[in-house]
Amino acid sequence: MSLTDLAQRAMVTACALTHTTEAATRRLGPAPFLPKLFADRFTHLGGIDKDEFHQQLDGCRSFEDANWAGYWEAIADRHLAAADAALAELGGPGTSELLGGGTVDVRALGELLAPAVTILADRDAAADPLAADRFCAENPVHADAATALDGLIKAMTYEFVAAWPGWSPLRLRAYERSHVLGEILLTALAPAMGVTIELVEIPFGDGDLVRGYFVVPNGAEKPPVVLLTNGVEGTLAEALLPLLKYRSGGIAMFVMEMPGTYAYRESLSPAAERVYTKVIDFLAGDPRVDGERIGLMGLSFGAYWATRMAAVDPRLKVAVANGAPTNRSFGPAASFGLPEIMVSTLSNAAGATSMADTLKKLGAMPIADYYARIPIPLLVINGADDTLVSTQDSIDIAIGAPHGELVLYDGDDHCAMGHGDDWIRLSYDFFRRHLLAADGAVRS
């Protein structure tokens, strides 16, 4: 780590300890107090030009709820207005109807947008900012469908930015708006993508729910299924959209958000293990998929759960853990350089009252003794230069697991975001190899 990086991390830590991040943000902008990959995750999801997003980010000089959420929702509204104009040309519903909670003919909306479905369905891990423009130039007769779809995707993404990292009232409102837009787009366009996408709610605990997307390829007879779980402040759409291009590969998917995040009442704790057990119960008993062939993929903190569940649930046949924080990432040293907004996020997720309490609660979650108990193939992935959690955790998991395989991407950061297409393809092939095997061969 360079002296410049050390100085930056020291400044961020000092602001966190003295609760002066907000004052510093008004002077410096929010970028120094955000995870290094903050911009990448949203530009990748929304197909947003990076220079444009960085300029927008610099213009937001506050993390306070009304200022932050209001700033990004104003940008979302501009994209909703563009979608509105295109939908009006198509004779479709307005975006106020989509977000208003009333009855929307989702199938009819899907038929209007279907000519441009490739913009959603065949994107790379980093969506192309020029995809809609290119589509309109090549298919002018369907330009309104492309413009409407692109506007809705970008509005969903900017609502997600407004929601990040959750917990406060206006952020949670933005999260729900982002979720509604994502649900409408995915369910409306599912027929055009050749899949069934259903929003499933699985109850657990004291009135809490797992909310997830169940994606089943049309015509597939009892396919295997992969459960996908994301990190502390991720959303269903963020996890699912990069995987849609593999929708016809013969594997069903169930995508859920990690316990302790946006939609949950219950805090993050070792007891969340039962939440994953509950979801696996659901998958094992659903007649649309083969309950004897279940895989699990976890991203970021979700990779912690992929590792843990691989050791404790015998119904899992294969697992992938990308960017897992475990023992080394839960120690006091890991808090150095952690922005105040991430400290509060982890504290809220864990139901903690202070950073010390957060470290205590996370300290109850190490799983190094689980590694040797993992009886199934486990693919461990990360960037070799993770700035958010310890890359050594990934190395330790792969070494400790009897059937562990390790892939680190040189020069890349948390979850190897810079190599998204590579590791998604690698993971999908890994699942195909272990879930579609019949008599030693892979079924096509």
Side-chain angles (χ1 to χ4, degrees), residues 95-248:
T95 57
S96 60
E97 294 177 67
L98 301 182
L99 289 165
T103 301
V104 175
D105 189 338
V106 173
R107 179 170 292 276
L109 176 63
E111 291 172 354
L112 294 176
L113 299 179
V117 68
T118 56
I119 294 173
L120 177 73
D122 298 323
R123 56 178 36 214
D124 291 330
D128 182 1
L130 299 177
D133 291 341
R134 188 175 297 113
F135 182 93
C136 291
E138 296 172 355
N139 306 274
V141 70
H142 297 307
D144 288 325
T147 300
L149 180 54
D150 185 58
L152 291 170
I153 292 170
K154 285 182 167 57
M156 177 195 72
T157 302
Y158 279 108
E159 291 284 1
F160 179 21
V161 184
W164 191 91
W167 308 107
S168 54
L170 293 179
R171 282 175 165 89
L172 290 176
R173 172 183 176 273
Y175 163 79
E176 284 299 330
R177 286 167 64 88
S178 181
H179 173 79
V180 167
L181 288 171
E183 180 186 350
I184 288 173
L185 283 174
L186 287 164
T187 53
L189 286 168
M193 292 189 286
V195 295
T196 299
I197 299 180
E198 176 188 352
L199 179 66
V200 174
E201 293 183 338
I202 302 172
F204 73 94
D206 186 17
D208 220 336
L209 292 170
V210 176
R211 187 164 65 176
Y213 290 133
F214 198 12
V215 184
V216 182
N218 290 347
E221 184 177 350
K222 302 281 285 187
V225 60
V226 170
L227 168 59
L228 174 62
T229 180
N230 56 14
V232 171
E233 79 295 4
T235 63
L236 295 174
E238 182 185 25
L240 178 56
L241 264 58
L243 299 176
L244 288 174
K245 66 191 301 182
Y246 298 100
R247 63 194 179 277
S248 60

Side-chain angles (χ1 to χ4, degrees), residues 55-86:
Q55 290 174 5
Q56 293 166 341
L57 183 60
D58 189 58
C60 183
R61 295 291 175 128
S62 174
F63 286 113
E64 290 181 352
D65 199 24
N67 295 329
W68 178 269
Y71 178 86
W72 294 107
E73 286 202 304
I75 300 174
D77 286 343
R78 295 203 290 271
H79 290 286
L80 287 173
D84 261 329

Side-chain angles (χ1 to χ4, degrees), residues 226-229 295-300 302-307 310 316-324 376-382 397 405 423-424 426-432 434:
V226 170
L227 168 59
L228 174 62
T229 180
L296 174 57
M297 182 195 298
L299 308 177
S300 194
Y304 164 92
W305 291 107
T307 304
L316 295 175
K317 304 305 180 189
V318 57
V320 174
N322 184 354
I376 60 176
L378 174 66
L379 175 61
V380 184
I381 301 169
N382 205 355
I397 294 168
E405 299 180 30
W423 69 254
I424 291 174
L426 179 71
S427 299
Y428 192 78
D429 288 345
F430 191 73
F431 284 123
R432 281 181 58 84
H434 294 288

